[in-house]
Each structure stands twice: as structure tokens, then as C-alpha cells.
């Protein structure tokens, strides 16, 4: 049986990846220092090493003790805005952490890596849908660290027999069950819920973009679909020498206004969003070309926006 170490497995996405691995008959092991994660997200029976990935001794012990055959690397700082204020922290955590991980994987003979990348590597794409071979022009330190992470995977793949896949996630949303919601307030849907909790009107940052309704367009992907893409990527790594980068999105854009409308429908009351000025660095539109992942991983999304919003809302109401 293959055993996959999930770094950041107590996080929002990691918790779903663990369950997808289990459903596929693969054994997960978690390393997470709980700096941003929640212990209850790691299911009973799944080993959880509470340590930083920078703790090389703990990492090596976890790999040896559990017979780890591959790593799904999600542990990272992820707030693009914060990264502009704290570039050194982002490079230290995201790039430094990945170097520590790769060193230990090399020493311990672990040859399979699935890496969490992001659509942030594209910055403002010149064309949509954006293809994997589009220029990488990240617009903040967070996106830069994700580009460097991809380079590290690629360069180690060339230097030794590391089989790797980088997944560039688009806008992740939804919950696989009511106890696994996104508790961070970085993405649109949790931001709207947070505003409603506080009795504020949710904000639309700019309605004068060159898009059909003037608001920004993004590609929303259900976290359960995303988790399943990790299983497909893990299998590709195991099947031979993979060196691949894939977008993970639905290949379809939804505008901020459309999302607000779906939220209003789900919660049964108009969220009454107000228009605020544009935020610097928000591209008008980003959505994924999904041919590569469909063809090579035989993966495509099956869950829509309504499902993302309603599952996120159920998880949010439970959390309150
Ligand atoms: N959520 C999104 O929309 C999104 C989009 C694109 C990419 N990503 C990437 O996906 C990954 C997971 O994101 P998430 O939304 O689940 O975030 P999250 O913050 O919920 O999960 C990250 C987990 O990693 C743990 N962690 C962080 N640093 C660590 C360290 N040094 N050692 C051990 N554990 C550590 C945290 O405790 C947390 O549980 C990240 O790499 C992120 O950049 C997320």
C-alpha cells in the first residue's frame, strides 16, 4: 500500500486530501504544527505528527516510522495581501520549508511529491482561459514563493529521481462535510459570511472592470474535487517519472456578482452587497484551461458553485 505524508493535513484543503486518499485506499499520515490548522480535522486513526516541517528530525522520523512513499506538500502561509507586508516570513516559511522537506525526502529515499501551487503564479493573465505554459508573472511575494516551489520540484526532479506534480489551484471553496469548512477569511465566500456575521454589508471591490457585469471573474473549484485531483496526481507520480504542472479549476469563470447572487439564494436573503473601490492587484478575470489535467490525469470537476456555497454555508453555521 502507498503511504502519503500530507504536510498541512490539519488545514482546510489538507483535511479533504486526507479523506480523498482514504477513499482511494491510500494511507495518509499528517505533519502539521497547528499554526493555522485544527486538530479535529485529522480523522481518528490517521497518525498526526505535531511538528513544523522545518524540524528535519521530526520529518525524517515520521517518514521512517510510517513507511512514507510520497509527500503531498500543502503546509504554507497563504495570504497574498499579508505576504506584501511580510515577504521575508513568506519566503522563509514557504521556500525554506520546502527546501527542508526536499532535503529530508532525498535523504530518506522518498521519490514522489505532489506540490500545492496556485493560480497566483500567473498574476494577471494576458489570456483566459489561462494555460499552464502561460508566462509566470506573480504579483505578490506569496505567488513568487509558489513559483520558486515549482522550480525546486522541477530542479530536484532533474537532479535526482524525484517524480513530481505541481497543482495550481484556482479559487477553492466549499466543504466536504459540515465540520470541514474554510475558517480563514481570505476568499470571497468566507469573506461574505464574515461580513454577514458582523452585520456589515459584503463588499464588491470594483464594478467597473471590463467584464460583462463589471465585477471580477474567478474560477471557483469545490474543495472535494480539488482533493480528488491530488489522488490522481499521486497516482501519476507513482506510475513513473512525472514532471507535470496542472491547473485545477472548473475552466469556467463566475463573477463576484454571480457569487453574491448564489449566496443570497442559498441563505434565503439578499446579501445586499455594496460596491467599494477596486483593490490594487486584482486581475479583472482569471479562469483555468483544464485540457491538460483532463487528458493526463483523467480528472475534471463535478461540483458546481451552488454546491460550494451551500456546503460552505452549512459548515459556517455549524461553526458559529
Ligand atoms: N485555500 C485556497 O484557496 C488556496 C488556493 C491556492 C493555493 N492554496 C495552497 O494550498 C495549501 C493549503 O491551503 P489551505 O487553504 O488548506 O491553508 P490552511 O492554512 O488551512 O492549511 C495550511 C496548514 O499547514 C499548516 N502549516 C503551516 N506552516 C507549517 C509548517 N511550517 N509546518 C507544519 N505545518 C504547517 C497549518 O497549521 C495549516 O493546518 C497552501 O500551500 C496554499 O498556499 C490554497
Amino acid at each position: 500500500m502507498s503511504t502519503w505524508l500530507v504536510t498541512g493535513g490539519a488545514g482546510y484543503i489538507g483535511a479533504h486530501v486526507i479523506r480523498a486518499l482514504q477513499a482511494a485506499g491510500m494511507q495518509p499520515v499528517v505533519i502539521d504544527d497547528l499554526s493555522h490548522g485544527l486538530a479535529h480535522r485529522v480523522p481518528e486513526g490517521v497518525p498526526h505528527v505535531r511538528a513544523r516541517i522545518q524540524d528535519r528530525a521530526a520529518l525524517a522520523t515520521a517518514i521512517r516510522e510510517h513507511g512514507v512513499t510520497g509527500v503531498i506538500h500543502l503546509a504554507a502561509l497563504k495570504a497574498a495581501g499579508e505576504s506584501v507586508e511580510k515577504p521575508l516570513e513568506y519566503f522563509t516559511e514557504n521556500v525554506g520549508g520546502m527546501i527542508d522537506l526536499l532535503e529530508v525526502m532525498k535523504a530518506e529515499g522518498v521519490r514522489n511529491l505532489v506540490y500545492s501551487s496556485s493560480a497566483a503564479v500567473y498574476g494577471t493573465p494576458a489570456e483566459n482561459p489561462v494555460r499552464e505554459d502561460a508566462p509566470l508573472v506573480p504579483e505578490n511575494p506569496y505567488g513568487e514563493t509558489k513559483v520558486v516551489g515549482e522550480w525546486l520540484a522541477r530542479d530536484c526532479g532533474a537532479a535526482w529521481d524525484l517524480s513530481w506534480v505541481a497543482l495550481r489551484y484556482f479559487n477553492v471553496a466549499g466543504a466536504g462535510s459540515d465540520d470541514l469548512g474554510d475558517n480563514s477569511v481570505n476568499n470571497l465566500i468566507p469573506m461574505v459570511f464574515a461580513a454577514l456575521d458582523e452585520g456589515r454589508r459584503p463588499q464588491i471591490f470594483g464594478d467597473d472592470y471590463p467584464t460583462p457585469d463589471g465585477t471580477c471573474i474567478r474560477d471557483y473549484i469545490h474543495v472535494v474535487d480539488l482533493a480528488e485531483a491530488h489522488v490522481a496526481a499521486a497516482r501519476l507520480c507513482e506510475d513513473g517519472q512525472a514532471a507535470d504542472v496542472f491547473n485545477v479549476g472548473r475552466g469556467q469563470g463566475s463573477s463576484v456578482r454571480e457569487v453574491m447572487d448564489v449566496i443570497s439564494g442559498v441563505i434565503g436573503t439578499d446579501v445586499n452587497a455594496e460596491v467599494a473601490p477596486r483593490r490594487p492587484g486584482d486581475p479583472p478575470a482569471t479562469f483555468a484551461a483544464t485540457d491538460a489535467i483532463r487528458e493526463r490525469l483523467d480528472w475534471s470537476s463535478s461540483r458546481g458553485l451552488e454546491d460550494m456555497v451551500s456546503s460552505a454555508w452549512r459548515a459556517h453555521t455549524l461553526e458559529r
Side-chain angles (χ1 to χ4, degrees), residues 7-15 31-38 41 49 51-55 73-79 93-94 97 115-120 142 146 167-173 182-184 186-187 226 230:
T7 76
Y12 165 55
I13 297 170
I31 184 163
D32 193 304
D33 64 355
L34 298 182
S35 52
H36 291 84
L38 301 169
R41 287 189 179 136
V49 179
R52 282 167 59 70
I53 54 164
Q54 288 83 350
D55 182 345
H73 178 39
L74 298 116
L77 296 177
K78 64 165 184 178
E93 282 297 313
N94 294 4
Y115 172 62
S116 271
S117 187
S118 166
Y142 167 71
K146 291 292 171 184
L167 298 177
R168 292 179 182 158
Y169 315 162
F170 279 66
N171 290 57
V172 189
D182 184 359
N183 64 338
S184 61
N186 292 313
N187 293 337
L226 174 68
H230 288 75

Side-chain angles (χ1 to χ4, degrees), residues 14-318:
H16 290 88
V17 169
I18 297 169
R19 284 156 180 83
L21 288 170
Q22 288 181 312
M26 293 152 135
Q27 174 65 49
V29 175
V30 168
I31 184 163
D32 193 304
D33 64 355
L34 298 182
S35 52
H36 291 84
L38 301 169
H40 77 73
R41 287 189 179 136
V42 180
E44 210 139 305
V46 172
H48 177 185
V49 179
R50 294 184 189 196
R52 282 167 59 70
I53 54 164
Q54 288 83 350
D55 182 345
R56 293 186 184 196
L59 201 52
T61 306
I63 287 172
R64 255 178 259 151
E65 270 183 7
H66 299 287
V68 167
T69 53
V71 176
I72 298 182
H73 178 39
L74 298 116
L77 296 177
K78 64 165 184 178
E82 180 188 63
S83 77
V84 177
E85 314 294 324
K86 300 178 176 172
L88 295 178
E89 203 167 319
Y90 271 70
F91 274 85
T92 303
E93 282 297 313
N94 294 4
V95 176
M98 181 142 175
I99 292 172
D100 289 320
L101 174 69
L102 287 163
E103 293 264 20
V104 175
M105 287 176 68
K106 182 168 186 251
E108 298 300 323
V110 180
R111 294 292 178 254
N112 299 307
L113 173 71
V114 177
Y115 172 62
S116 271
S117 187
S118 166
V121 298
Y122 297 118
T124 303
E127 272 177 32
N128 277 298
V130 59
R131 288 164 43 96
E132 287 85 349
D133 56 5
L136 303 186
V137 197
E139 288 172 3
N140 49 59
Y142 167 71
E144 290 165 7
T145 67
K146 291 292 171 184
V147 173
V148 177
E150 290 190 5
W151 288 346
L152 283 168
R154 180 196 65 194
D155 293 348
C156 290
W160 37 289
D161 54 345
L162 180 75
S163 182
W164 63 277
V165 172
L167 298 177
R168 292 179 182 158
Y169 315 162
F170 279 66
N171 290 57
V172 189
S177 60
D178 294 353
D179 54 342
L180 295 183
D182 184 359
N183 64 338
S184 61
V185 196
N186 292 313
N187 293 337
L188 176 61
I189 296 168
M191 277 169 65
V192 173
F193 294 166
L196 296 175
D197 283 352
E198 292 161 20
R200 288 186 287 112
R201 292 175 71 186
Q203 291 182 310
I204 294 175
F205 296 104
D207 69 348
D208 55 354
Y209 285 97
T211 60
D213 69 14
T215 67
C216 287
I217 290 178
R218 295 290 179 272
D219 188 338
Y220 294 87
I221 175 78
H222 197 297
V223 67
V224 174
D225 282 327
L226 174 68
E228 288 167 358
H230 288 75
V231 172
R235 290 210 171 106
L236 186 73
C237 287
E238 287 174 342
D239 284 351
Q241 193 71 27
D244 291 272
V245 179
F246 299 114
N247 290 335
V248 194
R250 283 186 306 148
Q252 190 182 318
S254 307
S255 75
V256 175
R257 249 193 221 294
E258 283 173 73
V259 176
M260 295 285 186
D261 288 347
V262 173
I263 297 176
S264 299
V266 163
I267 69 175
T269 171
D270 187 348
V271 299
N272 196 19
E274 64 181 354
V275 177
R278 290 181 179 197
R279 292 183 302 193
D282 265 347
T286 318
F287 53 97
T290 54
D291 323 61
I293 191 164
R294 197 171 47 245
E295 282 159 25
R296 190 135 157 81
L297 289 190
D298 194 23
W299 174 95
S300 58
S301 66
S302 62
R303 295 160 181 89
L305 194 53
E306 175 98 25
D307 196 346
M308 290 179 229
V309 171
S310 56
S311 60
W313 179 245
R314 279 195 308 274
H316 180 74
T317 45
L318 185 89

